[in-house]
C-alpha cells in the first residue's frame, strides 16, 4: 500500500497505527493522498469521513492530552453528526451508521477492530470533559457553544456514576426546555433535551417540541437549520450557533429529507423530534416526495408501522397522519 501511495513504508505504518496523526500531514500531501486513494478505488463517502475523523481526533486529544488552559476545539466550531459518530466510535465502539453496512476485510495479526480508547483513556476523557462543561458554563454567553457541545458528549458515558452526574447537570438546564419559542439559549435547550432522551428521560424533549418549537416560525426554521447542518445538508462549517437563527444560502431539502428518514429508523429515543421535523419539512416543501419516490415509499411504510404502535405522543400521531397524507397526495 505504501508503494501504491508513493510514500515511505514507515510513514504509512505510522498513519495506520496512529503514531503519526494524519492531521499533521501538509495540506498538499493530504490532498494527494485523497486523490490517490480515490483513483485506487476507495469509496468517495469513506474518503469524505477523513475530515470528521480528524476532527474527532482533535476533540479527543484536546480533552485527554492538552492542558486545561488551552482553548478547546469544541469552542470554535459546531460539530456535525459525522464528527459525533466518530467520537462515539472511539468511546464505545459503536460503528458510525455511514460505515455500518460496509464489509470489513480480515487482516493478519493483532489488529484492533475499532479505534476504541482504553478504559483509562475513556475515564480521563469524560472526567475532563465534565470539567470543561462546568467551566464553560461559568464563562456565561462566551461559553455557550463549548458548554452545549461538551455536555452533549458527556451523555455518551454510560458508567452509573457518570450517568448520574450527566443527568443532574442536564436537569439543571430544564428551565431552558420550558422556555417558549426562540431565544439565544434555544440551541442549548435542544441539545439538553436530546441528551436527556439519550439517557432515557424523554419528557423534556416532548416539552421542548411543544414549547420551544411549535407555533414559532423562527424556532421551526432554526430546528430545520440545525438538522440540515447536523445531517450534511448545509455543507459549510459554522463557527457558532447563529446559523440556526439566520439560515444558510446552501440549504438542500432533499438531502435533509433523506437524513431525517434514515434517522427515524436509527434513533427511536428521538422519534418525536424526527416526526415533528419531517412534518415541518414536508409542510414547507410539499413537492419533496416527488424528488425521491423510492424514499417516499419507504417512509410511508414506516409511518404505517409507527401509527400501529402506542410509543409516540398524540402530537406525533397527528403529524404522522399529516405526513402520510402528503406522501399519498404526491403519489397520485
Amino acid at each position: 500500500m505504501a508503494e501504491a501511495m508513493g510514500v515511505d513504508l514507515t510513514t504509512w505504518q505510522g498513519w495506520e497505527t496512529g503514531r503519526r496523526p494524519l492531521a499533521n500531514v501538509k495540506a498538499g500531501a493530504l490532498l494527494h493522498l485523497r486523490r490517490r486513494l480515490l483513483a485506487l478505488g476507495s469509496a468517495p463517502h469513506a474518503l469524505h469521513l477523513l475530515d470528521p475523523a480528524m476532527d474527532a481526533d482533535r476533540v479527543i486529544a484536546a480533552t485527554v492530552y492538552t492542558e486545561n488552559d488551552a482553548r478547546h476545539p469544541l469552542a470554535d466550531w459546531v460539530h456535525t453528526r459525522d464528527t459525533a459518530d466518530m467520537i462515539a466510535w472511539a468511546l464505545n465502539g459503536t460503528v458510525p451508521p455511514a460505515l455500518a453496512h460496509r464489509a470489513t476485510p480480515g487482516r493478519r495479526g493483532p489488529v484492533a477492530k475499532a479505534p476504541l480508547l482504553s478504559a483509562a483513556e475513556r475515564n480521563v476523557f469524560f472526567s475532563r470533559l465534565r470539567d470543561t462543561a462546568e467551566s464553560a458554563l461559568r464563562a456565561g454567553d462566551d461559553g455557550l457553544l463549548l458548554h452545549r457541545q461538551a455536555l452533549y458528549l458527556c451523555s455518551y458515558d454510560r458508567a452509573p456514576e457518570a450517568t448520574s452526574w450527566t443527568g443532574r447537570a442536564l436537569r439543571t438546564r430544564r428551565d431552558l426546555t420550558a422556555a417558549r419559542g426562540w431565544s439565544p439559549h434555544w440551541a442549548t435547550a435542544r441539545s439538553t433535551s436530546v441528551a436527556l432522551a439519550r439517557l432515557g428521560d424523554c419528557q423534556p424533549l416532548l416539552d421542548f417540541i411543544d414549547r420551544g418549537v411549535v407555533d414559532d416560525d423562527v424556532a421551526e426554521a432554526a430546528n430545520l437549520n440545525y438538522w440540515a447542518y447536523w445531517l450534511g445538508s448545509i455543507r459549510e462549517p459554522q463557527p457558532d450557533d447563529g446559523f440556526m437563527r439566520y439560515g444558510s444560502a446552501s440549504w438542500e431539502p432533499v438531502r435533509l429529507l433523506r437524513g431525517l428518514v434514515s434517522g427515524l429508523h436509527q434513533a427511536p429515543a428521538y422519534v418525536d423530534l424526527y416526526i415533528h421535523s419531517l412534518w415541518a419539512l414536508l409542510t414547507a416543501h410539499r413537492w419533496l416526495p416527488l424528488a425521491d419516490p423510492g424514499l417516499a415509499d419507504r417512509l410511508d411504510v414506516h409511518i404505517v408501522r409507527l401509527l400501529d404502535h402506542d410509543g409516540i405522543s398524540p402530537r406525533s400521531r397527528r403529524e404522522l397522519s399529516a405526513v402520510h397524507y402528503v406522501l399519498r397526495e404526491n403519489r397520485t
Side-chain angles (χ1 to χ4, degrees), residues 233-251:
S233 182
I234 294 177
R235 306 294 186 93
E236 301 85 359
Q238 301 296 327
D240 55 47
D241 290 335
F243 76 96
M244 301 176 202
R245 172 66 177 83
Y246 299 106
S248 171
S250 58
W251 220 77

Side-chain angles (χ1 to χ4, degrees), residues 106-154:
R107 298 178 65 184
R108 292 175 292 178
V111 180
K113 295 183 179 180
L116 191 63
L117 297 177
S118 67
E121 288 173 320
R122 290 198 299 273
N123 289 338
V124 172
F125 176 84
F126 284 119
S127 175
R128 291 188 176 174
L129 196 64
R130 289 191 287 269
D131 291 342
T132 298
E134 291 177 346
S135 62
L137 183 60
R138 293 192 293 270
D141 289 349
D142 290 339
L144 278 179
L145 180 62
L146 176 57
H147 172 73
R148 175 177 74 77
Q149 299 196 126
L151 201 57
Y152 178 81
L153 291 178
C154 283

Side-chain angles (χ1 to χ4, degrees), residues 200-273:
D201 184 0
C202 294
Q203 189 57 48
L205 183 56
L206 296 175
D207 293 341
F208 172 75
I209 295 170
D210 285 341
R211 300 169 184 169
V213 182
V214 172
D215 295 331
D216 186 294
D217 291 344
V218 175
E220 290 281 14
N223 180 53
L224 291 180
N225 287 335
Y226 198 166
W227 274 125
Y229 182 74
W230 182 253
L231 297 174
S233 182
I234 294 177
R235 306 294 186 93
E236 301 85 359
Q238 301 296 327
D240 55 47
D241 290 335
F243 76 96
M244 301 176 202
R245 172 66 177 83
Y246 299 106
S248 171
S250 58
W251 220 77
E252 299 177 31
V254 177
R255 187 181 181 92
L256 177 54
L257 176 64
R258 291 171 183 154
L260 289 173
V261 172
S262 176
L264 187 63
H265 292 268
Q266 297 169 355
Y270 317 135
V271 64
D272 293 287
L273 183 58

